[in-house]
Amino acid sequence: MITSAEQFVRLRNSDVPAEYSLAAEDEAPVAVWLDVISRFPEMREWVAYNKTVPIEILAVLAHDESASVRLTVADKRKLTLELFDLLAHDQDELVRQRIAYNKKAPLQLLERLSVDVSPLVRDAAMKHLGKRGS
């Protein structure tokens, strides 16, 4: 278990593959994730990338100013309906596209994204809808 923000940063920046992978796979308490987000902003995307990151932290990161952080959140399959909806309305078309490709995206959301103003988003949603219909 990751027990401090400093430990997460050290693991994430490690050249040792076993340590590096711990940053992506080990759990940490919510307080540790919040500490990483506040004190090490360059690590926010890597917090979102962690496989065990709790939904409360994904909710914080879904509002992040960085589109790359929101993109990483949009890849998560464990998003709540509210987070799917929030990210489906994101100002960045790549975030909306990522939601359209998310395997757990709700059907009604994909239908809405299939008429998005962005061709990238529309195409992704249509492809996903086509796969579901097969």
Side-chain angles (χ1 to χ4, degrees):
M1 174 171 274
I2 298 168
T3 58
S4 71
E6 293 81 7
Q7 180 187 18
F8 176 77
V9 172
R10 183 182 56 74
L11 291 170
R12 173 61 191 95
N13 291 328
S14 177
D15 292 330
V16 179
E19 288 184 355
Y20 182 84
S21 69
L22 291 175
E25 298 172 1
D26 266 15
E27 294 181 34
V30 169
V32 169
W33 293 129
L34 291 172
D35 194 26
V36 173
I37 291 167
S38 69
R39 292 196 303 127
F40 301 97
E42 72 282 5
M43 291 287 147
R44 295 184 317 251
E45 187 173 348
W46 297 108
V47 169
Y49 186 73
N50 180 279
K51 293 179 180 173
T52 67
V53 69
I55 199 73
E56 304 98 301
I57 299 303
L58 292 175
V60 170
L61 295 172
H63 291 91
D64 198 90
E65 63 189 31
S66 167
S68 66
V69 172
R70 297 190 315 273
L71 274 169
T72 305
V73 174
D75 274 338
K76 295 293 196 173
R77 294 182 188 176
K78 64 180 170 183
L79 296 177
T80 63
L81 291 176
E82 293 80 14
L83 290 177
F84 270 116
D85 191 58
L86 173 71
L87 294 168
H89 286 94
D90 197 275
Q91 65 194 18
D92 190 292
E93 70 180 349
L94 296 177
V95 174
R96 297 192 314 275
Q97 179 190 40
R98 196 69 60 95
I99 285 293
Y101 278 126
N102 189 305
K103 292 183 181 192
K104 296 289 186 170
L107 180 61
Q108 64 273 22
L109 196 75
L110 291 173
E111 290 170 347
R112 183 166 25 109
L113 291 173
S114 72
V115 294
D116 192 272
V117 297
S118 166
L120 290 172
V121 177
R122 284 195 310 266
D123 290 349
M126 293 301 285
K127 285 178 186 170
H128 194 163
L129 285 167
K131 287 180 183 176
R132 284 193 176 184
S134 307

